[in-house]
Amino acid sequence: MALSVGSLAPDFTLSSKFPEGIKQVHLKEELAKNNVVLLFFPMAFTPVCTQEMCTVSSSINEYSKLNAQVFGISVDNPFAQEAWAKKEGIILPLLSDLNKEVCKAYDVLLKGLIGIGDVAARAVFVIDRGQKIVYTEVTASPLELPKFEPIKEALQSILSR
């Protein structure tokens, strides 16, 4: 069962491919600047994952106005993530959980998806600057998109505190 609202979000450091090379992204460092939305997704270059990341990319300014940094997380390597992002116009940073450690820490590792192997479940965590989880969603199926409005409502509730 994924982590629940009120839980402390596990800290992590993951790789991301930027034009200048591979960079390490540290959750605690990001939380020092903004609230964070983690969007776990199964695999790059798949239709539903592309739809999700493109939907969020097209509304990234809304998340910025809510003082949130959004990250996509999958078990793909950072080079595959970068190629997919360029192809599809995905502008949010994508983090590589190649070793599946963060998926395990957040309890969202989907075992043996369609015979391919273990991947991230489609899941969302909204984390406030105090590192507390304020919203979580794990979809019933990897073919189901998360509900975007409750994510924004959770971010708005943080601002209203």
Side-chain angles (χ1 to χ4, degrees), residues 4 30 45 49 54 59 75 123 152:
S4 59
E30 294 302 323
F45 294 101
C49 295
C54 287
S59 61
V75 301
K152 294 173 189 170

Side-chain angles (χ1 to χ4, degrees), residues 7-8 36 43 49 65 69 96 100 103 105 108 116-117 122 138 142-143 147-148 151:
S7 300
L8 191 64
V36 170
M43 289 181 280
C49 295
K65 288 177 186 173
Q69 173 63 59
S96 173
K100 304 173 178 87
C103 289
V108 294
I116 294 174
R122 192 169 314 283
V138 180
L143 299 174
K147 297 168 192 74
F148 298 111
I151 297 168

